[in-house]
Amino acid sequence: MNMNDYNDKMRDIPSKRDDPYAQAAAEVDSPGFLLTSVERLTGLAQARSLWPVTMGLACCAIEMMAAGTPRFDMARFGWEVFRASPRHADVMIVSGRLSHKMAPIVRNVYDSMPEPKWVISMGACASSGGIFNNYAIVQGCDHVVPVDIYLPGCPPRPEMLINAMLELTRQIEKRPVLAHREQIARAVEAAALSATPTSEMKGLLA
């Protein structure tokens, strides 16, 4: 299966049909054979050598650590190296509830990570505050750091984290490297601004 067949198959998935990024990437002209090949090669190398930073905040961190054990074996995908230093990491897995007291530290760790970098919000507490709807917990870590993948569950199992990492690798593999990505970003923003607001959508349950 070549890349075009793979992209067509991915667009047939219900969750991907209205993906503005995929539509914008298809509309923007490719920069050419050589540059496209370099982008694919670079994306493949980045996607298969992700180094997560240790960011365990609560019970979801136990599941994150379990994903690295021999039973689930994240190492087979090239993600075995959990770095204690953000200078050597490119993925932050926010695993657990994020308190307002911890938020500046998480942001400082994120700012210390080199580009390119990605964030996975692991669990309901990190994604939306979960059951902790109070003054002490940030209601979603996307208020502090930009999130690429939201992983639901309380807590999500290690298999779910591995699936989220695989979805992140698919995003990284399609990520343009040079100025081509600016055109796609502008097309995605234009598509998002022209989309019908949720408050004006009628008859979705009919």
Side-chain angles (χ1 to χ4, degrees):
M1 179 184 294
N2 57 30
M3 185 57 68
N4 292 331
D5 294 338
Y6 173 78
N7 292 334
D8 294 338
K9 185 176 181 180
M10 288 298 292
R11 278 192 285 269
D12 290 336
I13 299 176
S15 61
K16 299 291 184 181
R17 280 176 192 159
D18 298 326
D19 185 3
Y21 183 89
Q23 295 175 0
E27 293 174 359
V28 175
D29 293 332
S30 173
F33 172 76
L34 178 62
L35 186 57
T36 304
S37 300
V38 170
E39 286 183 343
R40 290 180 181 176
L41 182 61
T42 304
L44 184 64
Q46 290 178 343
R48 294 298 183 267
S49 61
L50 297 178
W51 289 5
V53 64
T54 52
M55 184 52 65
L57 301 177
C59 45
C60 284
I62 303 300
E63 303 297 321
M64 179 181 67
M65 288 183 278
T69 60
R71 180 177 182 181
F72 302 100
D73 195 16
M74 292 174 61
R76 58 195 159 135
F77 301 105
W79 311 324
E80 66 214 288
V81 185
F82 275 83
R83 306 300 298 183
S85 170
R87 306 287 185 185
H88 304 128
D90 48 16
V91 177
M92 175 185 285
I93 304 175
V94 183
S95 52
R97 58 188 181 271
L98 177 61
S99 65
H100 285 281
K101 190 174 183 179
M102 192 68 181
I105 301 172
V106 171
R107 182 66 200 193
N108 188 25
V109 171
Y110 176 81
D111 291 337
S112 301
M113 295 168 60
E115 293 283 353
K117 51 191 173 184
W118 301 272
V119 177
I120 296 178
S121 178
M122 182 178 180
C125 296
S127 300
S128 62
I131 62 174
F132 301 100
N133 186 13
N134 55 46
Y135 67 93
I137 302 300
V138 178
Q139 302 302 299
C141 67
D142 50 4
H143 293 281
V144 180
V145 293
V147 176
D148 297 283
I149 299 289
Y150 291 91
L151 176 57
C154 185
R157 286 187 52 82
E159 299 95 334
M160 298 174 65
L161 176 59
I162 292 177
N163 181 70
M165 294 285 284
L166 288 172
E167 180 62 30
L168 181 61
T169 60
R170 285 189 282 268
Q171 291 187 13
I172 296 173
E173 287 175 359
K174 296 186 298 181
R175 173 181 175 269
V177 178
L178 301 177
H180 183 50
R181 65 180 179 179
E182 298 178 1
Q183 302 176 17
I184 296 178
R186 285 194 291 268
V188 170
E189 184 178 7
L193 291 175
S194 62
T196 303
T198 307
S199 58
E200 296 180 7
M201 295 182 180
K202 307 296 182 182
L204 297 179
L205 300 179

